[in-house]
Amino acid sequence: MNHTVQTFFSPVNSGQPPNYEMLKEEHEVAMLGAPHNPAPPTSTVIHIRSETSVPDHVVWSLFNTLFMNPCCLGFIAFAYSVKSRDRKMVGDLTGAQAYASTAKCLNIWALILGILMTILLIVVPVLIFQAHQ
């Protein structure tokens, strides 16, 4: 307690009306109690790991499965994407990343081969048609 509060409640000052700040401080000390340790309070910081976003490439795999599916790479990529999503739902982020990486690689190959096959299916007939005229 500080010296002002102690003298406020002494019999010498009993004729003066109570001051609001003094009453508030005295009430807080009475409710909370005096500090037991003179050291400043320490704080604890808890780091909560945010959920890591693992892309599972399901939409890309589905697109490759439906539209460009050379050598069934799109379908295999879709299977790995679903496995990645399942691993993510269980909480196995390492397994989810491994399956997602495989699905991404298969999707890239399916896309490249699909584009090449589309170009060849357009260019080759046009060249054959021009050669016969």
Side-chain angles (χ1 to χ4, degrees):
M1 252 183 209
N2 63 22
H3 181 68
T4 309
V5 174
Q6 289 176 349
T7 58
F8 176 76
F9 288 103
S10 65
V12 177
N13 292 332
S14 61
Q16 295 180 348
N19 188 355
Y20 175 73
E21 286 81 19
M22 297 284 187
L23 290 176
K24 182 178 177 185
E25 182 180 338
E26 182 66 27
H27 177 70
E28 288 175 0
V29 169
M31 293 299 289
L32 299 176
H36 300 291
N37 190 359
T42 59
S43 62
T44 302
V45 177
I46 299 173
H47 295 285
I48 299 174
R49 186 178 68 165
S50 64
E51 296 214 12
T52 305
S53 175
V54 178
D56 49 18
H57 308 294
V58 171
V59 175
W60 189 12
S61 299
L62 187 62
F63 175 79
N64 282 334
T65 300
L66 295 177
F67 296 109
M68 299 180 225
N69 198 12
C71 304
C72 294
L73 288 177
F75 180 72
I76 297 169
F78 184 71
Y80 274 96
S81 297
V82 170
K83 285 184 178 185
S84 173
R85 182 168 284 187
D86 290 344
R87 291 284 94 203
K88 187 168 52 171
M89 291 299 149
V90 171
D92 180 17
L93 294 179
T94 306
Q97 287 174 345
Y99 282 124
S101 175
T102 304
K104 181 180 179 181
C105 182
L106 291 170
N107 278 322
I108 289 171
W109 279 107
L111 184 66
I112 290 171
L113 291 175
I115 290 172
L116 287 176
M117 286 175 56
T118 303
I119 290 172
L120 288 175
L121 286 174
I122 292 172
V123 171
V124 170
V126 169
L127 290 177
I128 293 173
F129 181 71
Q130 286 178 352
H132 286 292
Q133 286 184 351

